[in-house]
Structures are given as structure tokens and as C-alpha cells.
Amino acid sequence: MRILLIVFVALSVPSFGQEIESFGVYGGFNIPFTIDQGLRNDPRFFGKFTFRGTPVGFTYGYDRVGYGLLVTPGYMEIGQKFTIVNNVGGSVGTREVQMKYFSVPVALKLHLNDIAFFRLSIVAALNFGYLLKGQETFSINALPSSRKLSYPAGVSVPNDPNYQITYDGVYVPNLKNSVYVSSDKFAPFQVFAGVGFHSDFDLNDDWSLNFDGRANFGVFDPRNKSYINELKNPSAQTPDAFGHPGAPDLYGRRSDAYLSASFGVSRIIQIKQKFREKRTAARKSGVPKAKARKPKG
């Protein structure tokens, strides 16, 4: 019972109003989701669990009592993988959506507590991303008899003798990281909105351990307008398996989301409040301070 009382008192001790500035590094992982109605309606693809070993980068933090600011520029890679299935539902390969960003997340921290050695905060952030590289690749590795895919109406079949159209599907060749959507089809900038939690545990007066967990949601479609128009307007020059105008994919609005977790270490700089001399009413009015009397003797 006494231990619980000590812990409660410790958690109630404020940080005495000091401002805390910190610089550090961090690394983590994310679980991305590519939300695309076109891919969802295409019988060739099924989303699969995807794990990415980013973000990584640098941190700058500034905290006062009640709130703080956190800036974490770094490298981020997102995009979900999809299983490619044949016309009888068997897995024959992978379609990978991959986008690499230089990102600058700026987060507002609202402290849930202000303990001298531990701070837990709710964070709300905007993440500004500049695209370094984007692409979608196909990898297929299966026996010839298993490589028959059900191309939906409106999706063009490559004009290649290795793609053979039959009455109930299209035979496709084996592929290894074949680029299907190139980097020039993606928008150069993206903005993500994020919410989550952040914690700072001070090991001593100089160093702090940090943990950050967020859910992040893309504001814009990650593809550029010209490619979206190409998907919306099938062309007779790229026919589908039925001889009708086709497009590279079924169109559907796309958005990206990801769950991120990161861990870091920071160097702490505490900015102490300046000392102000306490002035009496007499000194404020200009009356000189009385000198102490010397003892007689």
C-alpha cells in the first residue's frame, strides 16, 4: 500500500514549468493499406498483410506544461501487397504497390500528464510527403497450366504473344518484379493526417526514450491526374479480352493509410525560466532599503 502511495505521489509531481527541447533519432515499422475500389472489384487480386520497416529519421521536440511540438523528418515507405490468383482461385504471384517518400510530419502534442520524468501525449499531425519513387510490380511464378487469369471487362490485355486469350481467361507468362505502373504515374506530393499517442521517458537529465504510435490517412489520390484519366477512359487502341476498349486497371478512387510505430532516443536540453528578483513595495516606490543597525559596543 505504501508503494502504491509513493507511485501516486510521483505521478502527481509536475515538471516545475520548465521548457524541454530535444533532438534525436528514431526508427520503426508500419502496416500499410492501399484502399482501391478498382482493385477490390478485380477478381485477379486479393489484399494481403504487408509489413514495412520504416519510418526512420530525426526528431525535434519542444515541450511546455500542457502541450508540445514534435517534428520528425525522415524516410517512409508504404503501399500494400496483393496476391494474384488464377481463374480457379489459386495463388500464383504478387502485385506490390510501393511508394517511397521523404516525409516531414509535424505534430501537436497535448499532454495527458506533466510528470518530471515521464510525459504521455495525444498527438495530431500533418505529414507532408515528397515522392522519391513509386511503382507497382508483378511477380508470377507458376506452372503454365496454372497461369490463366480472369481479366475483367474493360482491362486491357498486353499486346504480347506471351499473353494468350482464351474463352475463359488469359494465359500469362512468369514475371519477376515486372514494372506495371511506373513512377511517372504517381503524384509527386502527398499529405497524410495522423492521430495517435506519444510518450517520453527521461532516463536522466540528458537522455530520453520515445515511443510513438499513429494511424495515418492519405488526403489525396496518390496517382497523378493524367493516369487517373487514362483509367477512366478506356481506349480502343488497348482492347480488353473481349475486343472492347480497355484501360490498364479498373478505375476506383484510391487512398493510402498506414499504422505506424516508432522508437527513438533523444538528447534533452532543459530551458530553465529566468530568475527574477522579488521587489518589495518600498523598493518599487523608490524608497531606499534601510541599512541594518550595528550593535553597540
Side-chain angles (χ1 to χ4, degrees):
M1 186 66 182
R2 183 175 298 177
I3 295 176
L4 292 176
L5 181 60
I6 293 173
V7 172
F8 176 77
V9 172
L11 294 178
S12 302
V13 176
S15 57
F16 301 104
Q18 289 183 348
E19 300 173 15
I20 299 175
E21 193 173 16
S22 62
F23 301 87
V25 294
Y26 72 95
F29 63 88
N30 75 78
I31 301 172
F33 302 92
T34 298
I35 305 167
D36 188 320
Q37 191 62 43
L39 293 180
R40 185 174 298 177
N41 293 334
D42 194 321
R44 297 174 296 167
F45 308 117
F46 286 92
K48 62 188 296 186
F49 176 82
T50 307
F51 179 92
R52 304 281 188 187
T54 63
V56 293
F58 301 92
T59 65
Y60 168 76
Y62 178 80
D63 288 275
R64 303 189 68 176
V65 175
Y67 66 94
L69 178 70
L70 182 66
V71 184
T72 53
Y75 171 76
M76 178 180 67
E77 183 178 318
I78 62 171
Q80 189 175 4
K81 296 179 182 180
F82 293 80
T83 299
I84 301 175
V85 298
N86 59 22
N87 65 331
V88 293
S91 174
V92 295
T94 301
R95 175 174 182 165
E96 181 176 3
V97 180
Q98 187 180 52
M99 288 161 291
K100 301 176 181 180
Y101 288 100
F102 172 71
S103 65
V104 184
V106 180
L108 174 65
K109 300 165 61 177
L110 300 177
H111 298 168
L112 298 178
N113 65 345
D114 280 298
I115 306 167
F117 62 91
F118 178 74
R119 295 171 299 284
L120 178 63
S121 310
I122 297 175
V123 295
L126 286 179
N127 181 353
F128 303 92
Y130 172 74
L131 185 71
L132 301 175
K133 184 179 181 180
Q135 66 178 17
E136 297 184 34
T137 59
F138 275 29
S139 294
I140 298 176
N141 186 13
L143 296 173
S145 59
S146 300
R147 299 199 304 266
K148 184 190 289 187
L149 307 185
S150 297
Y151 272 65
V155 174
S156 59
V157 178
N159 184 19
D160 185 322
N162 291 315
Y163 289 81
Q164 300 177 13
I165 301 174
T166 66
Y167 73 96
D168 62 346
V170 179
Y171 282 102
V172 300
N174 279 330
L175 303 168
K176 185 176 181 180
N177 295 325
S178 176
V179 177
Y180 187 67
V181 182
S182 56
S183 190
D184 61 306
K185 303 294 194 298
F186 289 85
F189 298 100
Q190 179 62 285
V191 178
F192 296 90
V195 292
F197 293 92
H198 183 92
S199 65
D200 301 279
F201 182 80
D202 298 344
L203 299 175
N204 50 44
D205 289 341
D206 298 319
W207 297 98
S208 175
L209 294 179
N210 323 115
F211 169 76
D212 193 288
R214 300 182 196 178
N216 305 272
F217 307 91
V219 176
F220 306 111
D221 193 309
R223 303 163 298 186
N224 62 32
K225 291 183 179 180
S226 62
Y227 185 62
I228 291 174
N229 289 333
E230 184 179 348
L231 297 179
K232 287 182 176 180
N233 302 289
S235 171
Q237 297 179 355
T238 56
D240 64 10
F242 308 97
H244 302 137
D249 274 312
L250 294 178
Y251 171 72
R253 190 187 185 283
R254 176 180 291 187
S255 60
D256 289 297
Y258 63 96
L259 303 176
S260 64
S262 61
F263 307 85
V265 58
S266 298
R267 180 69 166 84
I268 300 172
I269 301 173
Q270 290 190 345
I271 306 171
K272 297 182 179 180
Q273 294 180 346
K274 293 181 179 180
F275 173 76
R276 292 183 179 180
E277 182 182 0
K278 190 174 181 181
R279 304 178 66 184
T280 63
R283 295 197 66 184
K284 288 180 181 179
S285 62
V287 178
K289 185 177 179 181
K291 295 182 179 181
R293 294 182 179 180
K294 295 183 179 180
K296 294 180 180 181

